[in-house]
Amino acid sequence: MPRIRLPLPDPEKPPPGPFRPEFWRSPLRSPQLTAMLGLVLLIGLPAVALTGLLSNDAYQPGLGGNALGRDVHGPLDFYLFGWPTGPSWLYAFTQGAHVIIGLAVFPVVLAKLWSVIPRLFEWPPVRSPAHALERLSLALLVGSALFEFVTGILNIQYWYAFPFDFTQAHYYGAWVFIGALLAHIPLKLPTMRRSLALRKAVLDGAGPLASPAVDAHARPLTSPNPGPTTLTRRGLLTAVGGASLILVLQGVGQSVGGPLRSLAFLLPRGRTRPGPLGFPVNKTWIGTGLHRGAVGVKWRLTVRGQRTVVFTREQLLALPQHTYDLPIACVEGWSTTQSWTGVRVQDLAALAGASGRMMLTTVSLEQGTYGSATLGHEQVSDPETLLALRVNGLDLPLDHGYPARIISPAIPGVHCTKWVSEMQFQTVEA
Ligand SMILES: Nc1nc2c(c(=O)[nH]1)N[C@H]1C(S)=C(S)[C@@H](COP(=O)(O)O)O[C@H]1N2
Ligand SMILES: [Mo]
């Protein structure tokens, strides 16, 4: 058998173009720049990941029909705790933080990728099995980071430009990202610390910068053939920081709302389409395509527990009414607190003979993804969880879910079903 020889690339002779170190001419690239950006991401990225996992928990995907929307759960579908109902602004806070910090670090991620781009064209592309593994983990890290940021930002703009389900893709993409990040941090932490220490030594007057020799094989980030300086490093960092700040203002305007809402120049809801009471409408009544008659005098609410009870809106209004200030906090990051009045979900459970640890499935007149949601025991047993009939002292507007909608403290807005027609209480094991 003749030995087959693969034409291995000559390590000394990279093909022309980006594979040659002198192709990369920016005088700004250096291990120190990469380390500074890395330090910001070392704090920012775990914060985004953690608040994202909290958001997943708040969606209560373990309950039928919620979030991941699957009945079969894989090994990564774990939820550490039942989502609490207090403080009522909890989800508005964690999700606002997820969106704001995510927006803030996005320009830093792009700058960091720019700072290491010569490494993408290392020559030879693969030196050893270990090197191949390292490059694969980097490909997963960069790919999943870009995927998470792009899908997240498109999603908060309500631009569903992708053919797959956002929640599932963003959730499983996050696990790829978290795994790759956990592998990357311990590998690169020593390099980052050495680069920052070196920078400090230079600032303290210890002499000219020398690249820290951490990995002798890796392509140096500093250009061997630097072009003229057109932007200082401080100028670059100011531009990146400025971009972050603008996006943070957008995020704060969107999440905190109120007068700050006018800051949110990218806001897809509320600025361009304020609701009838001046707070955002996610899906409008017209958007459901339902017939007006469906919410007229013929509308009934069916409540199923041990027995089935049917209510007209007048009968619901004749039950004890309670008023609470509660936020609607959407996964897209916006939130708004209003004063809701209606019947306690607890009271409706009692009228249908349901008791003990319960979960509740709400069904809307509207069918489809948002037409049903499940609330867990924590929500059902909270006295502030209402079937709201009125908001800010007025009958619910059609756009906000007339004749009746769910409102419950600290949960994602997507669980606050509008145009409710049926409530099903089920007893669950403790
Ligand atoms: N039937 C139905 N209920 C719904 C929705 C919907 O599209 N259809 N959107 C949900 C989402 S995602 C949010 S954030 C809130 C928004 O409530 P609002 O439109 O009254 O602000 O309603 C929730 N309830
Ligand atoms: Mo939402």
Side-chain angles (χ1 to χ4, degrees):
M1 275 284 275
R3 247 226 242 135
I4 300 171
R5 279 201 168 217
L6 288 176
L8 281 177
D10 182 345
E12 302 304 324
K13 286 207 195 100
F19 291 99
R20 303 218 164 144
E22 45 305 347
F23 175 87
W24 302 98
R25 302 200 54 199
S26 171
L28 289 176
R29 285 198 187 88
S30 71
Q32 287 71 32
L33 175 73
T34 300
M36 279 190 269
L37 296 168
L39 182 61
V40 175
L41 295 182
L42 183 64
I43 300 161
L45 290 177
V48 180
L50 203 71
T51 47
L53 288 176
L54 287 179
S55 178
N56 177 64
D57 209 284
Y59 258 47
Q60 301 182 298
L63 305 180
N66 287 357
L68 299 174
R70 299 187 306 137
D71 295 330
V72 185
H73 293 289
L76 289 176
D77 303 335
F78 56 80
Y79 320 108
L80 296 178
F81 47 87
W83 190 249
T85 56
S88 65
W89 44 263
L90 182 66
Y91 185 73
F93 178 78
T94 61
Q95 192 58 17
H98 183 61
V99 169
I100 293 171
I101 302 171
L103 287 171
V105 298
F106 186 50
V108 186
V109 168
L110 295 181
K112 172 102 191 303
L113 291 178
W114 175 84
S115 80
V116 295
I117 208 159
R119 292 259 163 94
L120 184 63
F121 297 94
E122 265 181 345
W123 195 263
V126 171
R127 284 192 306 267
S128 62
H131 184 225
L133 262 181
E134 190 202 320
R135 298 208 79 189
L136 180 72
S137 82
L138 282 174
L140 287 176
L141 182 66
V142 173
S144 62
L146 290 177
F147 181 82
E148 290 299 283
F149 278 100
V150 169
T151 52
I153 288 170
L154 289 182
N155 186 67
I156 60 172
Q157 293 308 118
Y158 294 86
W159 187 15
Y160 302 109
F162 30 80
F164 43 78
D165 177 79
F166 169 77
T167 318
Q168 289 192 10
H170 200 68
Y171 180 68
Y172 295 116
W175 279 117
V176 177
F177 174 69
I178 291 169
L181 191 64
L182 287 178
H184 188 69
I185 290 175
L187 275 179
K188 295 293 179 181
L189 205 58
T191 314
M192 188 194 89
R193 292 182 54 179
R194 219 165 311 182
S195 300
L196 290 177
L198 214 93
R199 178 170 179 273
K200 186 167 180 299
V202 171
L203 290 179
D204 293 348
L209 274 187
S211 286
V214 173
D215 179 354
H217 295 293
R219 163 162 308 174
L221 293 173
T222 313
S223 172
N225 177 32
T229 306
T230 51
L231 177 72
T232 60
R233 184 197 287 162
R234 177 169 299 179
L236 176 75
L237 292 177
T238 308
V240 172
S244 289
L245 189 69
I246 288 173
L247 290 178
V248 164
L249 289 181
Q250 147 70 29
V252 167
Q254 182 157 341
S255 300
V256 178
L260 294 181
R261 187 167 289 277
S262 56
L263 290 173
F265 58 96
L266 290 175
L267 190 66
R269 292 279 192 277
R271 276 183 105 210
T272 51
R273 222 169 60 166
L277 293 181
F279 68 94
V281 170
N282 213 356
K283 182 179 288 148
T284 57
W285 166 254
I286 296 282
T288 65
L290 289 171
H291 194 267
R292 183 70 179 76
V295 291
V297 285
K298 290 209 184 115
W299 177 84
R300 295 287 181 276
L301 174 77
T302 306
V303 183
R304 295 183 201 279
Q306 292 280 48
R307 53 181 177 268
T308 299
V309 203
V310 177
F311 298 92
T312 63
R313 195 165 189 277
E314 285 63 44
Q315 288 169 329
L316 289 170
L317 282 167
L319 295 173
Q321 304 289 300
H322 300 269
T323 301
Y324 299 108
D325 286 349
L326 293 173
I328 289 186
C330 186
V331 64
E332 280 88 7
W334 62 262
S335 62
T336 174
T337 300
Q338 307 295 334
S339 174
W340 305 90
T341 302
V343 184
R344 278 184 179 152
V345 160
Q346 259 182 358
D347 293 353
L348 291 170
L351 288 169
S355 59
R357 261 180 98 86
M358 280 176 288
M359 62 181 212
L360 162 67
T361 301
T362 52
V363 183
S364 172
L365 291 170
E366 186 205 4
Q367 282 160 15
T369 326
Y370 300 103
S372 171
T374 310
L375 301 185
H377 161 70
E378 291 82 2
Q379 287 73 37
V380 174
S381 60
D382 192 291
E384 294 194 8
T385 299
L386 297 180
L387 180 73
L389 305 167
R390 298 164 66 80
V391 60
N392 300 342
L394 301 168
D395 278 344
L396 278 177
L398 265 179
D399 281 344
H400 289 300
Y402 181 90
R405 77 165 309 159
I406 293 293
I407 188 86
S408 178
I411 61 168
V414 66
H415 290 165
C416 299
T417 307
K418 306 198 276 192
W419 313 294
V420 174
S421 61
E422 191 168 322
M423 298 167 69
Q424 303 158 356
F425 291 96
Q426 275 166 285
T427 306
V428 287
E429 271 148 46

